[in-house]
Amino acid sequence: MAGLCAAARARELGARPVVLEKGLRPGGSMLLSSCVVWRYRTFEDFCAECPGGDEELQRAVFDGFDEALEWLVSLGPEVVWEDTPNPRTTGKRFEPRSLTEALVRAGGEVRIGQGLRRSLATPTREAVPAWPARPSSTTIPGTWPEEPVVLATGGFAVRYAREHGLLVRCNPWSEGDGLDYARERGAGLAGDLDEFYGRAMPAPPARIGEEDFVRLSQLWDGEARFLNERGEEFFPGFPAWHESDLAQAIARQPGGTAWFVVSADRRDDPRVLATREAGGTVEERDGELRLHVAAAVTHTQGGIRVDPEARVVGVEGVFAAGADVGGISTGGYSSGLAAALVLGRIAAETALM
């Protein structure tokens, strides 16, 4: 999302941006999400929910959000919710494909199968039926530093999940290319590289496709007890409202898995039925249900250090936005799509100054 927002804003300002999409379609992980773009209702809440975050970046995202959201709506995507149902937050929910299409229209040229490192094989019509394919045989951006570069590669969730034996709950291409590109040129880091936003999902042998990432998320709002593979309760008290802290705690357990224990009265609950339908493990004993779950990584929260104008600190002519940026939500959780939207626009505006 961040790269498309940067391109759309740059084009609006008179530039001719090119979006280099490593994958076989645009939209990144946004296309697979519930697509709620939100902020905390007050800045004080933002800081309290993400106590280790960079306050200047938090301020940039918070202050720029309302105008950016209005701009996003003006591009014409389908709005599903006019506001969030969560009393802590405000924002809108979009239909993911409609929002992707709107941003692609506004952003201009999108080269499919072209990333920072290498080109993918030429996409076939079957592989990307709805998106024009324009792969390139050269490594871009080859014009830097003469022309600015905005890094928006989605962080390094896929790499992190692979290295830690966790599930992936995002697009399959976010391997950390932006982070590596910036660090090779002298950029610093911000935030905790071991911190991620994620969910508990049905553990293998459950079959989870990209279309299942929202539907199969195991969010029990404090109703469940949490046991590790040794049968020990490992998470005292209630999870935070977003339950990403619980996903991270599961990731630290043996095998990155756990058991959610709920009343047997919940056997017809949609979350239980969906787990069974996906081939996941649900056991019933002693009046309780036990659902086998695994930690899944949606996006990383540590990453490249940027200033409030989205400049990569220490590297002239390189900017970053979205999950490539570290240090916004350290110690908690805030909307990754809001950071992508606001910092994507800021990056374009700063790059064209």
Side-chain angles (χ1 to χ4, degrees):
M1 181 182 184
L4 291 174
C5 288
R9 181 60 176 147
R11 194 171 180 222
E12 191 175 62
L13 294 173
R16 297 177 60 188
V18 175
V19 177
L20 305 175
E21 173 52 64
K22 177 182 179 181
L24 297 180
R25 55 151 180 81
S29 295
M30 174 191 71
L31 190 61
L32 312 176
S33 74
S34 57
C35 215
V36 183
V37 187
W38 58 272
R39 63 163 171 82
Y40 287 104
R41 288 195 176 270
T42 70
F43 184 66
E44 291 72 24
D45 285 346
F46 192 169
C47 294
E49 291 281 352
C50 305
D54 182 319
E55 192 168 319
E56 288 189 332
L57 290 182
Q58 292 173 341
R59 176 59 75 181
V61 172
F62 185 88
D63 288 351
F65 178 82
D66 291 352
E67 179 182 342
L69 186 63
E70 183 178 344
W71 171 84
L72 194 62
V73 171
S74 76
L75 300 181
E78 178 185 346
V79 178
V80 179
W81 294 346
E82 287 295 340
D83 204 348
T84 68
N86 186 340
R88 302 175 182 84
T89 67
T90 184
K92 296 186 186 298
R93 182 177 185 178
F94 299 88
E95 198 290 312
R97 190 170 187 86
S98 173
L99 181 55
T100 301
E101 290 171 346
L103 285 168
V104 169
R105 285 194 303 270
E109 184 177 352
V110 179
R111 298 184 184 177
I112 300 298
Q114 175 64 65
L116 287 169
R117 300 297 175 188
R118 60 183 177 83
S119 297
L120 300 176
T122 301
T124 64
R125 186 174 298 275
E126 290 74 24
V128 282
W131 307 109
R134 185 176 176 179
S136 168
S137 60
T138 59
T139 299
I140 306 288
T143 57
W144 178 82
E146 289 76 18
E147 294 180 320
V149 172
V150 177
L151 301 174
T153 67
F156 57 100
V158 176
R159 180 197 300 176
Y160 186 91
R162 182 175 60 249
E163 291 175 350
H164 292 80
L166 307 176
L167 300 183
V168 170
R169 187 179 175 269
C170 64
N171 77 79
W173 306 297
S174 291
E175 289 269 9
D177 294 356
L179 178 66
D180 292 345
Y181 183 92
R183 293 193 70 185
E184 288 166 4
R185 286 154 182 80
L189 300 175
D192 184 348
L193 297 185
D194 273 326
E195 192 173 14
F196 66 87
Y197 164 62
R199 286 280 182 260
M201 302 291 285
R207 302 172 300 276
I208 304 174
E210 290 183 341
E211 68 280 4
D212 300 318
F213 286 167
V214 176
R215 181 177 68 90
L216 290 179
S217 294
Q218 294 296 306
L219 298 170
W220 284 89
D221 194 25
E223 186 176 345
R225 292 187 296 117
F226 314 110
L227 307 180
N228 62 22
E229 299 295 346
R230 295 188 290 264
E232 304 162 339
E233 292 201 34
F234 65 90
F235 196 92
F238 295 103
W241 67 269
H242 46 75
E243 300 193 26
S244 186
D245 56 341
L246 177 58
Q248 293 179 75
I250 294 169
R252 294 190 290 270
Q253 299 306 305
T257 58
W259 295 86
F260 282 12
V261 183
V262 299
S263 169
D265 294 339
R266 288 296 198 178
R267 63 177 60 87
D268 294 325
D269 186 282
R271 293 162 289 191
V272 176
L273 295 176
T275 298
R276 291 188 189 275
E277 290 167 3
T281 302
V282 180
E283 299 178 352
E284 184 168 350
R285 66 174 89 157
D286 302 325
E288 294 181 320
L289 296 177
R290 297 189 175 203
L291 292 78
H292 201 207
V293 301
V297 183
T298 302
H299 66 75
T300 43
Q301 294 190 179
I304 303 167
R305 182 176 298 281
V306 303
D307 67 17
E309 284 72 47
R311 301 182 186 92
V312 173
V313 176
V315 188
E316 189 71 24
V318 178
F319 306 82
D324 279 353
V325 174
I328 298 173
S329 302
T330 305
Y333 170 59
S334 64
S335 171
L337 296 185
L341 167 64
V342 175
L343 290 179
R345 281 169 42 92
I346 290 175
E349 293 164 358
T350 308
L352 294 174
M353 288 175 58

